[in-house]
Amino acid sequence: MIIIFADLIEFANDFIVPIIYFINMLFALTVVFIERKSPTATTAWLMALFLLPVIGFILYLFVGQSFHRDRMFRVKKEYDEAMTNLIESQKKDLFSHQIPQLHTVSDAYKRMMLMLMESNRAIVTTDNAVRIFTDGNDKFAALLEAIRKAEDHIHLEYYILKDDEIGREVFSALTERAKAGVTVRFLGDGLGAAGPKRSFFAPYLEAGGELAFFFPSLLHIRHPRINYRNHRKIAVIDGKIGFIGGFNIGDDYLSRVPEWAPWRDTAVMVEGHAVSSMQIRFILDWNYASKGELIEFSPRYFPGSNDSAERLLPMQVVSGGPDTYWNPIKESYLKLISLATESVYIQTPYFIPDESIMDALRMAALSGIDVRIMMPSKPDHFFVYWAGYSYIAQLLDAGVRAYTYDHGFIHAKTIVVDEAAASVGSANWDVRSFRLNFETNAIMYDHQIAMVLKEKYRLDLDVCTELTPERLAALPWMIKLKQSVSRLFSPLL
C-alpha cells in the first residue's frame, strides 16, 4: 500500500503538476493579455496561479474566467436600449424646473441624478411612497399580502430561494394566484436558488406558474463558475407595488435560524413610478434567462400610478453588473460619499472596497465628516470577513469609526448621507458587487427617508461594539494572520 501511494505521488510530481503549471501559464497569459483585469486583481491571480498552483488552478477554473463575458451578455445588451429616449427627455428637464417635485433636491444631487442617467439609464421618478422594513417578518407579511391581492401579474426575482417554511409559504401563495389566472413568474439565480428539488416547484408549475434560472452554476458542465450571479432581490406586483432590498427567501431572513438570529436587514416597499424601473429590470433579466417566450413591454406591465400628495419622493433605481461598461453601483456610492457635508453611515455584511472607495471614505473622514461603517460581529464567509477587518483597520487611522453588530447578523446594504439621501438594495460594499454580480439599489433623495434610516442606524449602535485601533491591536496573532492572508487574496473574492 505504501509503495502504491509513493508511486502515485511520483506520478503526480512527474506528470500532473507540470501539466497544471503549463495550464496555469495559459491562464496567466489570458489574465494579462486577454481579460485585462485591474492591476490589483491581475497581481492576485498571478500569485495564486504560481505560488499555489493547484489551488490557483481550481479557483480560476470556477471563479476567475471571464473571457467569454462579451459573448455571454450580448443578448442581454440588446434589450438595454429601451430607456434611451425617455432619459434624453429627462436630462433636458432636470435643471429647467420642469419637474416641480425636485424643488427640495439640491443641484449637487441633481448632478448625481444626471450622472446615473448617463451611465445607467436610471430614470428619475418623483411620485413615490416608500415603506421601510428592517425585520424579515414584516417584509414578508407585506409581500405575501401583496401577492394574495394580485390581479394581473406577479414578478419575483431573488438570488436565494430555500425549501423551508417561508419558501413554501411564498410558493403556496404564488401557486394560488396562478390557479386564479394571474400571470406569475419567478426568476431565481442558477446557484443561489438551486437548492429546492423539482418536487418543490411541481404544484406551482402545474398551476401555470413560470420559472427561470439566471445563468448556470458552478456545477454546470459546459460553463462551471460561481461568478456572474444575479444577486438582485426584486418583487413587482401588478406593476404598482415593488419590493427591493437585501432580504432573500429563506427562514434565516426571518430570524428563524438560531445561528443567525435575530437577522437584521433592510428593504423597501415602493408605490409609484419607480416600480416601472423595477419592472423593466425584471423583464430584461427574465428575457435573458428564460428559454420560453420573451416578455414584451406591454402596457399591462406599466399601468402607472395615481397622483397623490403623499407620493413626492424622488428616486432612481440603479442596476450594475458585469454587463455594464462602468460600475454604476460603485459610482453611486462614491458620489454619495463626495456629497456628504455632515455624515456618512454605512451598513454592509461584506466590506472589501477598492482603492477609490477607500480614498473617498478616508478623505471624507479627514474633512470632518462623521463616517461610520457597521458590519457583522461573526462571519458567514470567513475569508471575506477577515479581509474586511484589514480594510477597516486602515480606515480607523483616518478617523473613520467602525462597529461590529453584536445582536445577531446584519445583512443590510445601505448608505445614508446627512439627512438628504440614502441607498437601499442588494449591493454589498465589495469588489464582487462592484464587478461580478448583478445588483440593483434604490437611491432615494428624500429628507424624511434619510432621517428614518439614520435613526434606525443609531438604534443599531446600541447593540454594537466599536472597533478601535486598540481593540484591533489586541487581537491574537492567528487572527491577524487570517486578516493578512484574506486581504492578499481579497481581489479574487
Side-chain angles (χ1 to χ4, degrees):
M1 187 69 180
I2 296 176
I3 295 175
I4 294 174
F5 185 69
D7 289 342
L8 288 174
I9 294 176
E10 184 178 356
F11 175 78
N13 288 331
D14 291 344
F15 294 99
I16 297 178
V17 173
I19 290 173
I20 289 178
Y21 267 113
F22 176 75
I23 296 175
N24 284 3
M25 178 68 73
L26 297 179
F27 285 165
L29 292 173
T30 300
V31 169
V32 174
F33 295 107
I34 298 178
E35 295 180 357
R36 296 185 178 181
K37 297 179 183 288
S38 69
T40 302
T42 298
T43 301
W45 275 117
L46 293 178
M47 291 178 61
L49 289 169
F50 292 115
L51 296 182
L52 302 169
V54 177
I55 296 175
F57 171 82
I58 295 172
L59 276 175
Y60 188 79
L61 187 63
F62 289 108
V63 178
Q65 48 177 319
S66 61
F67 47 83
H68 291 305
R69 186 175 72 178
D70 290 340
R71 178 175 60 80
M72 289 187 301
F73 301 121
R74 189 179 301 129
V75 176
K76 196 166 181 296
K77 288 179 180 178
E78 292 174 1
Y79 294 101
D80 284 343
E81 304 297 329
M83 302 305 296
T84 301
N85 292 335
L86 180 57
I87 290 297
E88 290 302 316
S89 173
Q90 279 206 337
K91 282 160 56 178
K92 295 176 182 177
D93 295 340
L94 195 59
F95 292 95
S96 60
H97 305 290
Q98 297 291 322
I99 310 177
Q101 294 91 335
L102 294 182
H103 72 278
T104 60
V105 178
S106 69
D107 283 352
Y109 281 104
K110 289 179 182 177
R111 291 292 175 190
M112 177 174 174
M113 292 176 178
L114 181 62
M115 178 194 78
L116 293 172
M117 286 183 191
E118 293 279 10
S119 68
N120 197 236
R121 301 186 184 92
I123 61 172
V124 177
T125 59
T126 58
D127 63 339
N128 304 294
V130 169
R131 179 182 173 188
I132 300 170
F133 301 101
T134 58
D135 180 86
N137 294 282
D138 297 335
K139 188 264 184 179
F140 279 97
L143 175 61
L144 286 166
E145 180 183 6
I147 288 173
R148 289 166 180 148
K149 292 181 178 179
E151 298 177 349
D152 183 75
H153 66 273
I154 301 168
H155 290 161
L156 267 60
E157 177 175 356
Y158 281 87
Y159 171 56
I160 289 176
L161 167 67
K162 296 184 178 181
D163 182 0
D164 55 17
E165 184 179 350
I166 188 60
R168 290 188 290 272
E169 187 174 2
V170 168
F171 264 79
S172 175
L174 296 177
T175 301
E176 187 276 327
R177 296 318 294 151
K179 288 179 179 178
V182 174
T183 300
V184 184
R185 299 182 176 98
F186 181 86
L187 174 60
D189 180 70
L191 177 63
K197 298 179 180 178
R198 183 176 295 273
S199 59
F200 174 88
F201 298 108
Y204 167 78
L205 295 172
E206 290 171 3
E210 299 179 49
L211 183 68
F213 291 95
F214 191 96
F215 207 65
S217 73
L218 79 168
L219 300 177
H220 193 273
I221 296 174
R222 291 184 58 195
H223 299 291
R225 64 174 74 241
I226 62 172
N227 283 343
Y228 309 136
R229 303 321 327 163
N230 187 335
H231 197 243
R232 294 168 178 146
K233 295 93 174 167
I234 298 172
V236 178
I237 315 297
D238 288 338
K240 298 177 181 179
I241 299 174
F243 293 81
I244 189 170
F247 292 97
N248 288 296
I249 302 178
D251 283 348
D252 40 350
Y253 298 90
L254 287 83
S255 302
R256 296 174 180 172
V257 178
E259 180 183 1
W260 305 109
W263 189 277
R264 169 68 172 86
D265 218 321
T266 305
V268 293
M269 183 178 77
V270 181
E271 294 179 85
H273 274 99
V275 178
S276 295
S277 298
M278 300 180 203
Q279 185 81 286
I280 290 170
R281 185 72 269 157
F282 177 88
I283 292 174
L284 295 176
D285 290 346
W286 178 273
N287 286 350
Y288 173 72
S290 173
K291 296 178 181 177
E293 292 186 8
L294 302 182
I295 304 175
E296 295 184 359
F297 285 85
S298 166
R300 66 179 285 203
Y301 299 121
F302 302 94
S305 61
N306 297 325
D307 292 334
S308 169
E310 297 178 0
R311 295 179 179 173
L312 297 173
L313 192 152
M315 180 186 298
Q316 283 177 295
V317 176
V318 179
S319 297
D323 59 336
T324 54
Y325 184 76
W326 289 299
N327 296 318
I329 296 287
K330 186 184 79 169
E331 289 168 355
S332 68
Y333 287 164
L334 285 169
K335 190 67 173 177
L336 284 169
I337 295 168
S338 72
L339 292 174
T341 59
E342 296 177 1
S343 61
V344 175
Y345 287 2
I346 294 167
Q347 289 177 321
T348 179
Y350 315 119
F351 186 71
I352 303 182
D354 63 9
E355 291 184 6
S356 62
I357 295 288
M358 289 288 285
D359 287 343
L361 293 171
R362 177 180 57 82
M363 289 188 294
L366 292 173
S367 302
I369 307 297
D370 179 16
V371 181
R372 305 190 185 205
I373 302 169
M374 189 182 299
M375 56 189 290
S377 62
K378 55 184 177 181
D380 63 339
H381 298 291
F382 285 93
F383 270 100
V384 178
Y385 181 78
W386 292 120
Y389 259 69
S390 72
Y391 288 102
I392 289 292
Q394 189 174 338
L395 288 171
L396 295 183
D397 294 336
V400 173
R401 300 181 71 180
Y403 304 84
T404 57
Y405 185 83
D406 303 328
H407 189 56
F409 187 79
I410 188 163
H411 191 252
K413 303 99 165 39
T414 65
I415 175 174
V416 185
V417 173
D418 301 334
E419 293 180 354
S423 173
V424 173
S426 67
N428 297 305
W429 287 70
D430 64 1
V431 292
R432 180 163 292 278
S433 283
F434 296 155
R435 293 202 315 256
L436 300 175
N437 285 343
F438 294 89
E439 309 280 5
T440 299
N441 287 358
I443 300 177
M444 297 161 284
Y445 306 91
D446 182 76
H447 168 69
Q448 189 65 35
I449 288 294
M451 278 203 340
V452 171
L453 287 170
K454 194 170 184 178
E455 180 59 28
K456 290 182 180 296
Y457 193 104
R458 287 172 171 162
L459 291 174
D460 288 334
L461 289 175
D462 292 338
V463 291
C464 287
T465 301
E466 185 164 3
L467 280 170
T468 62
E470 294 77 17
R471 181 182 170 193
L472 290 178
L475 291 173
W477 69 268
M478 182 58 72
I479 298 297
K480 294 179 181 178
L481 179 62
K482 290 179 182 179
Q483 292 179 15
S484 299
V485 173
S486 298
R487 181 178 179 128
L488 183 62
F489 291 101
S490 62
L492 314 182
L493 303 177

